[in-house]
Amino acid sequence: MTATAPAAEATVRKSSPGVARGPRRRTGRIRRIGLPYLLLLPALLLELLVHLVPMVIGIVMSFKELTQFYIRDWGTAPWAGFDNYSVSVDFDAPVGKALLHSFLVTVAFTLLSVGLCWLIGTAAAVFMQDTFRGRGLLRALFLVPYALPVYAAVITWVFMFQHDNGLVNHVLHDQLGLTDKPSFWLIGDNSFIALLTVSVWKGWPFAFLIVMAGLQNIPRELYEAAALDGAGMIQQLRRITLPSLRPVNQVLILVLFLWTFNDFNTPYVLFGRSAPEAADLISVHIYQASFVTWNFGTGSAMSVLLLLFLLVVTGVYLALTSRGRRTAS
């Protein structure tokens, strides 16, 4: 009876498929779970190389006294500690005062640009909801500024803003007579208006595209019922459209804010390496502090301060919007 026990146990194992397939099922499940991460691994490695590694190097550089004398071997630059940060936030000194001015200009520029982009994009998207002849062509024309390469679009505006033979002065001064004399748009105080114009012209089609996609998810029955109850277009916009678009607008405004606040291509192509004081955005200011004055330590400290500011603003914005969603639900 003792001798037949192992043979009986082996027979039971062969007859019960769950005992043999258990480890195989666990192995297959592990493979299925790990396959998505394995496929994401190349993208994660590229993200690490392209973004995270330079970010870490920039943070290390912000604690060094890195000037043109150590640029060949920046690892040998003396350790400066928090001196670069102290210089950057000393608003009574020339460096800190210039950085504060650039920061305030960037805040004003970002608020105006994001607000106008959202307003124009939303108005155009609501207008495009109605069916009329030529709507498809008009939609395609609206997206042209967003589809054009940044350099090609901005360099066109550079020619249009020329003082002597630019299209803007020709229309405003020669054709309409709105100005006493041709204006300088790329220098002086008017440079802020020129920069804002180009930024809004480039950015509003993105807001139009996102809002138009969000409007497709609003049931038409809501508008029909509101119209039967006597609600006009303004009331439908306030009571139906804007509340339904709240999740879309929350993401859209955050993306527009980050893009506009960090925009470097537009002012650099529009004004060159040295932007006017009225249009001295912080991205160009950091570039000048790093690559024009060759003080990479101070420039890196300014970049880290900018990163911290954007992280704080993004965190506060996400916290407020998530609290608003919980309150509304």
Side-chain angles (χ1 to χ4, degrees):
M1 185 175 182
T2 306
T4 59
E9 183 178 356
T11 304
V12 171
R13 288 181 178 179
K14 289 181 181 180
S15 60
S16 58
V19 177
R21 295 178 183 176
R24 294 181 181 178
R25 289 180 178 177
R26 286 194 295 269
T27 304
R29 189 180 301 112
I30 293 174
R31 289 178 179 176
R32 288 194 302 270
I33 295 175
L35 181 60
Y37 296 99
L38 183 63
L39 296 176
L40 287 175
L41 185 60
L44 294 176
L45 292 177
L46 289 176
E47 182 75 15
L48 180 67
L49 293 175
V50 173
H51 292 286
L52 296 182
V53 172
M55 186 185 301
V56 173
I57 294 176
I59 294 175
V60 174
M61 289 171 58
S62 66
F63 292 100
K64 286 180 171 289
E65 190 179 343
L66 184 58
T67 59
Q68 68 269 29
F69 303 106
Y70 301 98
I71 194 60
R72 186 173 183 178
D73 188 8
W74 67 274
T76 61
W79 191 260
F82 289 95
D83 292 344
N84 293 325
Y85 293 91
S86 300
V87 171
S88 300
V89 298
D90 186 5
F91 301 135
D92 295 328
V95 176
K97 186 180 296 184
L99 180 63
L100 178 61
H101 172 267
S102 177
F103 173 77
L104 295 177
V105 170
T106 307
V107 170
F109 164 74
T110 302
L111 293 178
L112 289 174
S113 179
V114 171
L116 290 175
C117 286
W118 177 84
L119 182 62
I120 298 174
T122 302
V126 172
F127 172 73
M128 284 295 172
Q129 288 302 107
D130 295 332
T131 303
F132 56 89
R133 181 176 297 181
R135 184 178 65 167
L137 177 61
L138 198 56
R139 283 180 176 179
L141 292 177
F142 281 174
L143 295 177
V144 168
Y146 181 68
L148 284 176
V150 176
Y151 183 84
V154 178
I155 203 66
T156 303
W157 279 98
V158 171
F159 288 109
M160 294 173 61
F161 281 128
Q162 292 297 319
H163 177 265
D164 297 326
N165 53 4
L167 180 62
V168 175
N169 279 333
H170 176 71
V171 173
L172 296 180
H173 177 68
D174 300 336
Q175 300 293 329
L176 301 179
L178 298 179
T179 58
D180 297 334
K181 56 183 179 179
S183 303
F184 290 94
W185 293 101
L186 300 180
I187 59 176
D189 295 337
N190 289 333
S191 59
F192 182 85
I193 301 176
L195 179 62
L196 181 63
T197 301
V198 178
S199 177
V200 173
W201 181 81
K202 283 192 322 87
W204 79 264
F206 175 76
F208 162 73
L209 188 65
I210 299 302
V211 173
M212 187 172 61
L215 289 174
Q216 305 301 319
N217 296 323
I218 303 178
R220 300 301 301 175
E221 292 79 6
L222 295 178
Y223 294 100
E224 295 174 359
L228 292 176
D229 292 337
M233 184 180 64
I234 302 300
Q235 291 179 334
Q236 293 179 16
L237 183 65
R238 289 180 54 191
R239 303 296 182 181
I240 300 176
T241 305
L242 293 181
S244 301
L245 289 176
R246 185 178 292 116
V248 175
N249 285 329
Q250 289 174 352
V251 178
L252 173 62
I253 291 175
L254 179 60
V255 172
L256 287 176
F257 171 79
L258 295 177
W259 282 0
T260 307
F261 207 97
N262 288 317
D263 189 13
F264 174 79
N265 296 327
T266 302
Y268 184 80
V269 177
L270 197 61
F271 304 115
R273 299 178 64 182
S274 180
E277 185 177 2
D280 185 23
L281 298 187
I282 196 168
S283 57
V284 180
H285 188 85
I286 294 175
Y287 169 81
Q288 293 174 349
S290 301
F291 295 96
V292 176
T293 63
W294 295 93
N295 196 338
F296 292 95
T298 305
S300 299
M302 293 178 181
S303 300
V304 174
L305 291 174
L306 175 61
L307 174 63
L308 294 176
F309 170 76
L310 293 178
L311 288 176
V312 170
V313 171
T314 303
V316 172
Y317 179 82
L318 293 177
L320 292 177
T321 53
S322 61
R323 182 182 301 176
R325 286 195 299 268
R326 288 196 299 266
T327 304
S329 60

